[in-house]
Amino acid sequence: MGIAKHPSVVTMPRTAKPYPSLLVFLCDRFPAISREIWAQRIAEGKVLDENGQRLTLETAYAPLKRIFYFREVLSEPCIPFAEKILFLDDEILVACKPHFLPVTPGGRYVDECLLNRLRKSTGIEDLVPLHRLDRGTAGLVLFSVNKKSRGLYAGLFLNRLIEKTYQAVAACHPLQETASWNVETRIERGEPGFRMKMAPGRVNAISAIHLVEVRGELARFTLLPQTGKTHQLRIHMSGIGFPILNDSYYPELLDESADNFAVPLQLLAQRLCFKDPLSGKNREFSSERELLW
């Protein structure tokens, strides 16, 4: 069994009274884990409050309070591809992750994630990712090393002060010409909950998309997201008629199946560029990975 060494966290949202019990909330929030398992974890002291105190079955639901718990999986898939550290100093770490590897623990994955692999290889327990990539997406992830400066680097993403460049491959007509799109939409959570959707309302997702090269029936794109909504580039590419090659979520959700390592999602977080909030220097990092086309 894989058991996380570091806790995961979930926040109890605002909800109408009468409030659910702690056990009911956890079962509703994580339906893949049975009521019996949650009750056992609580009894064994594996569910904690913000102060590290054990919660019990009698603990009252408290809106906006956080619950800390330790992920457990009976068997964990092995991802047979290696990450690479591109840069490390006293403030940040930049790593390039392979396709199929999640950034943080989730679902069936505890140790097989970029965060815990890096904690093990570097010995830095206080690593925190400053943004996320989908499990299927390869490329650059920026981590904070120093808790004292973490807010400064997180602010790069919050205030859109970091330039992110992606590469993608999609099917196309052999006579397709190069083109550009500026896509501005609203993205919200869809059904099932892990899949996102475009919806009416205020714009919250902006991407610049450039078709830069065609080879036969495939086209290579450069993508410049201005925002960072979940699955944003995958949805926007599908929305302009060029779903990313090997995408099992968009435009249609395919039946769940085991990972086929021979056909990864053809999406790569290729470049990060920003002005360092501490030194004032311009930082630029690029992945050496290449997409298959």
Side-chain angles (χ1 to χ4, degrees):
M1 174 183 289
I3 302 176
K5 296 179 181 178
H6 300 268
S8 296
V9 61
V10 62
T11 300
M12 292 178 275
R14 296 185 188 275
T15 188
K17 292 185 176 181
Y19 293 146
S21 69
L22 181 67
L23 183 59
V24 167
F25 165 69
L26 289 171
C27 291
D28 288 345
R29 179 64 178 80
F30 303 101
I33 302 173
S34 72
R35 182 185 183 92
E36 291 73 21
I37 289 177
W38 274 121
Q40 181 180 353
R41 290 182 182 180
I42 292 171
E44 293 175 351
K46 297 178 180 178
V47 182
L48 311 174
D49 67 12
E50 294 176 320
N51 299 314
Q53 299 299 308
R54 295 173 57 164
L55 301 181
T56 71
L57 292 173
E58 288 71 41
T59 299
Y61 184 94
L64 303 184
K65 292 292 186 180
R66 295 185 297 171
I67 297 172
F68 293 81
Y69 62 98
F70 294 84
R71 291 185 177 274
E72 299 181 6
V73 292
L74 291 176
S75 61
E76 186 172 3
C78 177
I79 307 303
F81 307 109
E83 67 282 359
K84 182 177 181 180
I85 296 175
L86 302 184
F87 180 83
L88 173 61
D89 66 8
D90 292 336
E91 310 299 334
I92 60 172
L93 181 153
V94 181
C96 184
K97 89 170 188 73
H99 295 285
F100 301 102
L101 184 71
V103 172
T104 57
R108 299 176 295 163
Y109 301 93
V110 173
D111 293 323
E112 283 292 274
C113 70
L114 181 62
L115 175 59
N116 284 336
R117 282 188 179 185
L118 291 173
R119 281 171 170 163
K120 183 177 180 180
S121 65
T122 65
I124 303 171
E125 292 295 320
D126 200 30
L127 277 178
V128 172
L130 296 171
H131 62 122
R132 301 287 196 274
L133 294 182
D134 299 339
R135 188 171 79 86
T137 304
L140 302 184
V141 183
L142 178 62
F143 288 80
S144 166
V145 173
N146 187 344
K147 188 175 182 179
K148 294 180 179 179
S149 63
R150 187 162 298 153
L152 293 175
Y153 289 94
L156 295 172
F157 295 91
L158 182 64
N159 298 312
R160 301 185 188 179
L161 297 176
I162 190 161
E163 183 179 325
K164 298 174 287 184
T165 303
Y166 288 69
Q167 300 292 321
V169 174
C172 74
H173 190 279
L175 300 180
Q176 172 69 47
E177 296 183 352
T178 58
S180 294
W181 299 259
N182 189 59
V183 184
E184 299 186 8
T185 68
R186 179 169 186 81
I187 291 179
E188 298 179 352
R189 194 161 297 280
E191 287 292 337
F194 57 81
R195 193 167 180 264
M196 309 300 285
K197 66 178 181 180
M198 288 193 286
R202 181 175 59 85
V203 168
N204 64 2
I206 303 173
S207 305
I209 299 176
H210 305 284
L211 194 167
V212 295
E213 185 179 1
V214 175
R215 290 184 189 172
E217 296 183 348
L218 295 177
R220 180 172 63 86
F221 293 78
T222 295
L223 316 176
L224 301 170
Q226 302 303 307
T227 53
K229 302 300 289 184
T230 300
H231 297 172
Q232 174 179 317
L233 295 176
R234 297 165 69 172
I235 291 173
H236 284 174
M237 284 288 290
S238 178
I240 64 171
F242 294 97
I244 298 173
L245 205 62
N246 304 329
D247 194 337
S248 61
Y249 284 11
Y250 309 98
E252 300 296 331
L253 179 62
L254 303 183
D255 291 338
E256 186 176 3
S257 60
D259 288 335
N260 183 345
F261 296 134
V263 288
L265 177 71
Q266 291 301 284
L267 180 61
L268 171 67
Q270 192 267 333
R271 178 175 170 269
L272 290 174
C273 184
F274 57 92
K275 184 176 182 179
D276 192 290
L278 284 180
S279 68
K281 296 180 179 179
N282 291 323
R283 301 273 201 178
E284 182 175 346
F285 303 99
S286 297
S287 170
E288 295 179 350
R289 296 183 188 272
E290 295 184 354
L291 298 176
L292 305 174
W293 77 300

